[in-house]
Amino acid sequence: MKKHNFSAGPCILPQSVFKESSEAILNFNHSGLSILEISHRSKDFMAVMEEAQHLALDLLRLEDKGYKALFLQGGASTQFLMAAYNLLEKKAAYLNTGTWSSKAIKEAKLFGEVEEVASSKDKNFNYIPKNYSIPADADYLHCTSNNTIFGTQIKEFPTVNIPLVCDMSSDIFSRELDFSKFDLIYAGAQKNMGPAGTTLVVVKEDILGKVSRQIPSMLDYQVHIGKDSMFNTPPVFAVYTSMLTLRWIKQKGGIAGVQKLNEEKAALMYGEIDRNPLFEGFAALEDRSMMNATFNLKDEKLKDLFEDLAKVAHINGINGHRSVGGYRASMYNALPKESVEVLVNVMKELETQA
Amino acid sequence: MKKHNFSAGPCILPQSVFKESSEAILNFNHSGLSILEISHRSKDFMAVMEEAQHLALDLLRLEDKGYKALFLQGGASTQFLMAAYNLLEKKAAYLNTGTWSSKAIKEAKLFGEVEEVASSKDKNFNYIPKNYSIPADADYLHCTSNNTIFGTQIKEFPTVNIPLVCDMSSDIFSRELDFSKFDLIYAGAQKNMGPAGTTLVVVKEDILGKVSRQIPSMLDYQVHIGKDSMFNTPPVFAVYTSMLTLRWIKQKGGIAGVQKLNEEKAALMYGEIDRNPLFEGFAALEDRSMMNATFNLKDEKLKDLFEDLAKVAHINGINGHRSVGGYRASMYNALPKESVEVLVNVMKELETQA
Ligand SMILES: Cc1ncc(COP(=O)(O)O)c(C=O)c1O
Ligand SMILES: Cc1ncc(COP(=O)(O)O)c(C=O)c1O
Ligand SMILES: [Mg+2]
Ligand SMILES: [Mg+2]
Ligand SMILES: [Mg+2]
Ligand SMILES: [Mg+2]
């Protein structure tokens, strides 16, 4: 029995991607070889890496605009330090909207001064700060587009004259944005892009090479660019599966196509959270994430009944993160609308039975 | 038609591992979920990570001896810098036996003084230097157990009073050694251990915490140890597939079991290289690698015929690395003896036809 998987990441991917990647492990491209045993320098894999890079830039509409797409290892957590290693000469500005922003700030402090331009920590990160000022002399501004844990999302990005760096781990490829506003975008694959094990980095080349420190090869964006993301052995299978997922997004009509479905799912989900007297949302209304809906039961005594009903309905992964409690329904690109309908029905059923 | 895959890495894995990992993508542990969509914090994946760590230490006979096993990202190339970041306070000693040692030295130099204790660069790394002296005041000695590109392998490791660090990327789990001689062992998975995308680090805890510099979280062995290798999202599928491969080694009788087969394959291969008047080996006899046999045609004019015969026999991946030329037959644990027999027969056939 297939589950309705609301897991926050790693998370559900398109069923066609599971099927194709499973087959490629037995026989990749009719080569008589597994995708797991081919050389990363083989023609077949070079083509995969190229297509993945091309699709990423194409979907973001960043082709021929001075950007490079890299598929690295180490997760977004490694980007917390790489961004600073490559860009922070003296001072950087950080917007603190949650756990992941806070961790990015912690790593950046090892490399220079960090000015926190605003924080929503005062309300356990349930909103996105607005109207803050950004130091014009900062080397860059760093922000987190979607706060996976707290279920908030930046709807309007600040306009700045310094490089704009964004951790888009949990909402990349889910909604249209003017991506050319950003100079460095990074995202762990394991939400909208593929399995855990690779990290997409999209970087505008002209912001690089400006810090005075020496950068170890594996942490240097310019080194990876110089080798087209093949400086060392890439995570072959994770890149291949990401490429399949990017193809699937393209087939769905690109970001605009999946965005439409994401909006429908979010409307359904938040509609029920608001309508149903047993539940309340966690995040400020105007900052609600289209990806991760965080909500609570008003009456804790209904916990067991709600969770039993969800289990019977084959629902997986709705427990909230410990820093928020309650529930979190993650509705990434590949989650079918039907899964949201099932969850909404469970919420309605609880109302009937309670 | 299944190929005889002599690829230097990524490389052949056991057929049972291909089968099981392919199935787990469709339905992992009868959970109704793909291994690619489960949370890394799920009970099922935590069990995988634990078993992988346990098997690694068990096979190396390092359990209860103060070591920790970690499954990280970034490949052995990231270990070049992490080893130095975590251990190099003032000066480190490096043995230079090839391309990978040279790259490790390059990264270490960013962190302190590097004393190259010996090098075989004078003969294009076709041998292992012996009888060199090691500075007693170095923070550690770094060596490369098997030189994937040149086909040499250290048979006897130096006895030292300083921490011994070893890049075992291309021969880990292939032969019995007294692994307790080493204080830090690292290896990219993509040879004897699994697919590309994870790196095994086995570290003796008491050598850590002695440098004065601050270490970014993702580069700090102590941080990863503190979180049992789950500080951030691990490369779930690569760890799972490595765990399956380690189970397979265990079933084969552990390292002793696979070593026996590796010795047979190497004897067969080098036997033919030496017997056949058309071929000659590249590496010094006493330093020949059991994993990567490097050899050349004496008469370059036979190149096309040899390669055609190999192709017809479904042989894959025997081209030598550009720094050596000629051929390289990589005979990792999972390569069946039958594949070596097929290659040897092609070499004999060439002798007949030439
Ligand atoms: C927004 C965001 N940033 C960073 C991370 C950390 O990513 P990783 O585990 O790949 O290092 C996560 C993980 O969930 C995330 O959601
Ligand atoms: C001995 C050795 N060390 C290091 C490396 C580099 O490993 P990675 O590509 O995983 O960074 C290799 C790759 O083949 C190798 O054979
Ligand atoms: Mg967050
Ligand atoms: Mg309500
Ligand atoms: Mg080498
Ligand atoms: Mg000969």
Side-chain angles (χ1 to χ4, degrees):
Chain A
M1 181 65 206
K2 205 70 204 159
K3 299 266 175 71
H4 297 288
N5 189 7
F6 289 90
S7 185
C11 69
I12 188 167
L13 296 176
Q15 297 302 309
S16 62
V17 169
F18 291 145
K19 190 162 170 293
E20 282 177 78
S21 61
S22 170
E23 285 167 5
I25 289 182
L26 300 177
N27 189 357
F28 172 57
N29 273 2
H30 309 286
S31 62
L33 292 167
S34 167
I35 181 79
L36 305 185
E37 69 178 315
I38 60 167
S39 168
H40 58 293
R41 307 276 175 209
S42 64
K43 217 168 64 318
D44 278 1
F45 182 71
M46 303 279 275
V48 166
M49 178 59 96
E50 254 175 55
E51 184 174 345
Q53 291 173 335
H54 168 81
L55 277 169
L57 292 180
D58 175 52
L59 288 167
L60 300 172
R61 297 185 205 281
L62 290 178
E63 286 213 286
D64 305 318
K65 290 185 181 155
Y67 291 82
K68 280 278 155 58
L70 304 169
F71 286 84
L72 305 181
Q73 292 187 65
S77 299
T78 296
Q79 295 310 309
F80 296 163
L81 73 104
M82 272 179 79
Y85 227 126
N86 283 267
L87 302 175
L88 207 176
E89 181 70 17
K90 205 164 170 302
K91 182 171 86 177
Y94 276 70
L95 175 61
N96 191 355
T97 56
T99 307
W100 303 113
S101 307
S102 304
K103 292 197 183 206
I105 289 168
K106 180 177 173 218
E107 301 306 317
K109 282 184 176 163
L110 298 178
F111 299 93
E113 186 190 333
V114 170
E115 185 172 327
E116 205 174 285
V117 294
S119 166
S120 46
K121 194 166 182 195
D122 56 334
K123 295 189 176 169
N124 198 23
F125 298 115
N126 77 350
Y127 71 102
I128 301 287
K130 283 132 206 147
N131 305 317
Y132 43 86
S133 64
I134 298 153
D137 63 341
D139 296 321
Y140 59 88
L141 171 68
H142 180 284
C143 59
T144 312
S145 58
N146 185 73
N147 300 284
T148 326
I149 292 177
F150 302 96
T152 62
Q153 190 173 31
I154 301 181
K155 308 291 167 167
E156 257 187 83
F157 289 86
T159 299
V160 285
N161 293 319
I162 54 177
L164 185 57
V165 176
C166 189
D167 174 0
M168 293 196 188
S169 290
S170 52
D171 69 352
I172 192 143
F173 301 121
S174 72
R175 58 171 173 168
E176 295 262 42
L177 289 174
D178 175 5
F179 293 99
S180 71
K181 273 189 97 156
F182 302 92
D183 298 276
L184 172 62
I185 296 169
Y186 61 85
Q190 67 270 13
K191 273 88 168 177
N192 282 320
M193 202 180 67
T198 190
T199 313
L200 174 67
V201 171
V202 174
V203 59
K204 198 159 187 194
E205 278 198 82
D206 66 12
I207 67 166
L208 300 174
K210 301 196 170 152
V211 290
S212 53
R213 75 177 62 82
Q214 283 194 291
I215 308 173
S217 305
M218 280 298 289
L219 302 178
D220 188 338
Y221 294 128
Q222 288 185 312
V223 166
H224 291 290
I225 289 171
K227 298 285 183 179
D228 279 323
S229 208
M230 300 272 270
F231 171 68
N232 76 326
T233 318
V236 171
F237 180 77
V239 174
Y240 171 68
T241 307
S242 296
M243 185 275 280
L244 294 177
T245 310
L246 293 172
R247 269 191 196 162
W248 175 87
I249 297 174
K250 181 91 183 167
Q251 280 159 9
K252 291 277 155 190
I255 295 180
V258 294
Q259 176 170 0
K260 194 171 159 291
L261 189 65
N262 289 336
E263 283 166 353
E264 289 172 24
K265 290 184 289 185
L268 204 58
M269 189 66 223
Y270 286 116
E272 180 62 15
I273 291 170
D274 291 340
R275 184 209 63 77
N276 193 323
L278 304 183
F279 293 95
E280 64 192 343
F282 172 79
L285 289 189
E286 74 276 18
D287 302 323
R288 279 175 163 178
S289 164
M290 195 157 62
M291 296 283 100
N292 316 93
T294 43
F295 57 102
N296 290 78
L297 268 172
K298 288 187 196 160
D299 180 357
E300 271 296 303
K301 283 199 296 292
L302 293 174
K303 184 176 178 324
D304 289 347
L305 179 58
F306 178 54
E307 291 176 15
D308 285 348
L309 289 171
K311 201 172 168 188
V312 167
H314 301 288
I315 286 169
N316 179 69
I318 56 165
N319 278 335
H321 189 275
R322 64 184 175 284
S323 6
V324 181
Y327 301 97
R328 168 173 55 170
S330 296
M331 303 171 291
Y332 297 116
N333 286 347
L335 185 84
K337 192 169 166 187
E338 187 214 338
S339 292
V340 181
E341 286 163 353
V342 169
L343 176 55
V344 162
N345 285 339
V346 164
M347 293 164 79
K348 287 192 207 290
E349 179 62 25
L350 182 71
E351 194 185 0
T352 312
Q353 293 195 20
Chain B
M1 182 63 208
K2 204 73 204 160
K3 297 266 176 68
H4 297 288
N5 189 9
F6 290 89
S7 187
C11 69
I12 188 167
L13 297 177
Q15 298 302 309
S16 61
V17 169
F18 292 146
K19 190 162 168 292
E20 282 176 79
S21 61
S22 169
E23 285 166 4
I25 289 181
L26 299 177
N27 190 357
F28 171 59
N29 273 3
H30 311 286
S31 63
L33 292 167
S34 167
I35 181 78
L36 305 184
E37 69 178 315
I38 59 165
S39 169
H40 57 294
R41 306 276 175 209
S42 64
K43 215 168 63 329
D44 279 1
F45 182 72
M46 303 279 276
V48 167
M49 177 59 96
E50 254 174 57
E51 184 174 345
Q53 291 172 337
H54 169 80
L55 278 168
L57 292 181
D58 176 51
L59 289 166
L60 300 172
R61 297 184 206 278
L62 290 178
E63 285 212 288
D64 304 318
K65 291 184 180 155
Y67 291 82
K68 280 279 155 62
L70 303 169
F71 286 85
L72 305 182
Q73 292 187 64
S77 300
T78 296
Q79 294 311 309
F80 297 162
L81 75 103
M82 271 179 80
Y85 228 126
N86 284 268
L87 303 175
L88 207 174
E89 180 70 16
K90 205 165 170 301
K91 182 170 85 173
Y94 276 70
L95 175 62
N96 190 355
T97 55
T99 307
W100 302 114
S101 306
S102 305
K103 292 198 183 205
I105 289 168
K106 180 175 174 219
E107 301 306 319
K109 282 183 174 162
L110 298 178
F111 300 92
E113 187 191 332
V114 170
E115 185 172 326
E116 206 174 281
V117 294
S119 167
S120 47
K121 197 170 180 188
D122 57 334
K123 295 191 176 169
N124 198 24
F125 299 114
N126 77 350
Y127 72 103
I128 301 288
K130 282 131 208 146
N131 304 319
Y132 43 86
S133 64
I134 298 152
D137 63 340
D139 296 322
Y140 59 89
L141 172 68
H142 180 284
C143 59
T144 312
S145 57
N146 184 74
N147 300 285
T148 327
I149 291 177
F150 302 97
T152 62
Q153 190 172 30
I154 300 181
K155 308 289 167 168
E156 257 187 84
F157 289 86
T159 299
V160 284
N161 293 318
I162 53 177
L164 185 57
V165 176
C166 189
D167 174 0
M168 294 197 187
S169 290
S170 53
D171 68 354
I172 190 143
F173 302 119
S174 71
R175 57 170 174 167
E176 294 262 41
L177 289 175
D178 175 5
F179 293 101
S180 70
K181 272 190 99 155
F182 303 93
D183 298 276
L184 171 63
I185 296 169
Y186 61 84
Q190 67 271 11
K191 275 87 170 176
N192 282 320
M193 202 181 67
T198 190
T199 314
L200 174 66
V201 171
V202 174
V203 59
K204 197 158 185 193
E205 277 199 81
D206 66 11
I207 66 166
L208 301 175
K210 299 193 170 154
V211 291
S212 54
R213 75 176 64 82
Q214 283 195 291
I215 308 172
S217 305
M218 280 298 290
L219 303 176
D220 188 338
Y221 294 128
Q222 289 185 311
V223 166
H224 291 290
I225 289 171
K227 297 285 184 180
D228 278 323
S229 208
M230 299 272 270
F231 171 68
N232 75 326
T233 318
V236 171
F237 181 78
V239 174
Y240 171 68
T241 308
S242 297
M243 185 275 280
L244 293 177
T245 309
L246 293 172
R247 268 191 198 164
W248 176 88
I249 297 173
K250 181 90 184 166
Q251 280 159 10
K252 292 275 155 192
I255 294 181
V258 296
Q259 175 170 358
K260 194 170 161 293
L261 189 66
N262 290 334
E263 282 167 354
E264 290 172 24
K265 291 183 289 183
L268 203 60
M269 189 68 223
Y270 286 116
E272 180 62 15
I273 291 170
D274 292 341
R275 186 208 62 78
N276 192 320
L278 303 183
F279 293 96
E280 65 191 344
F282 171 79
L285 290 189
E286 74 276 18
D287 302 323
R288 280 175 162 179
S289 164
M290 195 157 61
M291 296 283 102
N292 317 93
T294 45
F295 57 102
N296 290 79
L297 269 171
K298 288 188 193 156
D299 181 357
E300 270 296 302
K301 284 201 292 295
L302 293 174
K303 184 178 181 320
D304 289 349
L305 180 57
F306 177 55
E307 293 178 14
D308 285 350
L309 289 171
K311 199 171 168 187
V312 167
H314 300 290
I315 285 168
N316 179 70
I318 58 165
N319 277 335
H321 190 273
R322 64 184 176 285
S323 1
V324 181
Y327 302 97
R328 170 173 52 171
S330 297
M331 304 170 292
Y332 298 116
N333 286 347
L335 186 83
K337 193 169 167 188
E338 187 214 336
S339 291
V340 180
E341 287 164 352
V342 169
L343 175 55
V344 162
N345 285 338
V346 164
M347 293 164 79
K348 287 191 208 289
E349 180 63 26
L350 183 72
E351 193 185 1
T352 312
Q353 293 194 21

